[in-house]
Amino acid sequence: MSELADYYRNRAGEYDAVYDKPERQEDLARLRALLPPLVRGRSVLEVAAGTGYWTTALATTAASVLATDVNEETLAIARTRSYGPGEVRFQTADAYDLGAIEGRFDAIFAGFFWSHVLRADLRRFVAGLRERLEPGGVLILADNRYVEGSNYPITRTTAEGDTYQLRQLADGRTFEVLKNFPTREEFAAGVQPGEVEWTELTYFWLGTVC
């Protein structure tokens, strides 16, 4: 995971370019519309918030959002955005070690991080999220679907089924990045027990667990 953190730290300044892809605009608008009703009036912990792109959608209806990321470089960009009306705070935190975060929350959102979790680590990751969740709270996860021509090609698959992509930054540096693309069945297996709702768009998926 250290290489993944290094990749996103170095990519911070160009991170939001991924949201400019023309073919994804309709899906992005739909996903941004689906999130606010899920967090209406809730206290939200956002895991791997990055530059705050999704935080802006959550804050439109949430009572409060604590946006966390392992990289201060991406959070520095997130702090420059406008939010509201919900209260938004920021804190550096490792998605696998949320113990330093005070309190519990009645919604947890992790956007575009599930794909960066090794299949063997999914249970541990989900258990860590649930430790920060109030009884009756909801886990909300969203991520990419693999669409050839829109995603980076998969360049390596391990015996465990984890898939990787080679990604190049604007300065030419190349990183190998873990990027898994789960099916609904794989997602449901990873978050059990719980009642799963799954929405599948062309380029993205949204899963909730109660």
Side-chain angles (χ1 to χ4, degrees):
M1 296 303 294
S2 60
E3 182 173 4
L4 180 68
D6 287 344
Y7 168 70
Y8 279 106
R9 183 180 303 112
N10 286 283
R11 186 186 163 189
E14 57 191 85
Y15 183 91
D16 286 357
V18 70
Y19 300 123
D20 294 334
K21 292 190 174 186
E23 73 276 14
R24 298 186 181 185
Q25 295 311 300
E26 182 177 348
D27 270 16
L28 283 169
R30 289 182 64 191
L31 189 53
R32 288 182 65 87
L34 288 168
L35 289 175
L38 296 175
V39 299
R40 188 178 305 278
R42 294 179 181 267
S43 61
V44 181
L45 170 62
E46 184 180 6
V47 175
T51 60
Y53 178 88
W54 297 104
T55 317
T56 60
L58 300 172
T60 60
T61 59
S64 63
V65 182
L66 176 59
T68 68
D69 198 273
V70 71
N71 284 322
E72 178 56 37
E73 289 80 357
T74 53
L75 287 182
I77 296 173
R79 289 188 176 96
T80 68
R81 295 185 186 270
S82 296
Y83 302 97
E87 175 195 14
V88 177
R89 297 176 294 121
F90 301 93
Q91 182 176 333
T92 55
D94 187 334
Y96 290 96
D97 184 10
L98 301 173
I101 296 173
E102 294 184 1
R104 303 177 87 183
F105 304 80
D106 50 18
I108 296 179
F109 174 69
F112 300 82
F113 189 76
W114 181 279
S115 54
H116 296 314
V117 179
L118 289 166
R119 291 171 179 264
D121 288 341
L122 282 172
R123 289 287 188 178
R124 176 168 67 94
F125 171 64
V126 173
L129 298 182
R130 284 197 163 111
E131 286 178 0
R132 314 310 305 168
L133 195 66
E134 291 279 9
V138 59
L139 296 179
I140 308 166
L141 301 108
D143 219 310
N144 296 94
R145 298 184 64 224
Y146 183 78
V147 179
E148 191 169 354
S150 185
N151 296 91
Y152 286 95
I154 294 170
T155 53
R156 182 167 70 94
T157 304
T158 68
E160 294 74 26
D162 294 301
T163 52
Y164 290 80
Q165 301 169 326
L166 285 179
R167 299 188 180 183
Q168 189 174 57
L169 299 180
D171 63 9
R173 285 177 294 171
T174 300
F175 292 80
E176 184 181 55
V177 176
L178 170 67
K179 188 71 174 178
N180 287 324
F181 300 91
T183 63
R184 183 197 186 284
E185 292 72 23
E186 289 169 337
F187 174 78
V191 297
Q192 289 301 321
E195 182 179 342
V196 173
E197 295 287 341
W198 174 270
T199 301
E200 190 166 281
L201 306 178
T202 301
Y203 296 95
F204 309 111
W205 57 263
L206 173 68
T208 63
V209 190
C210 296

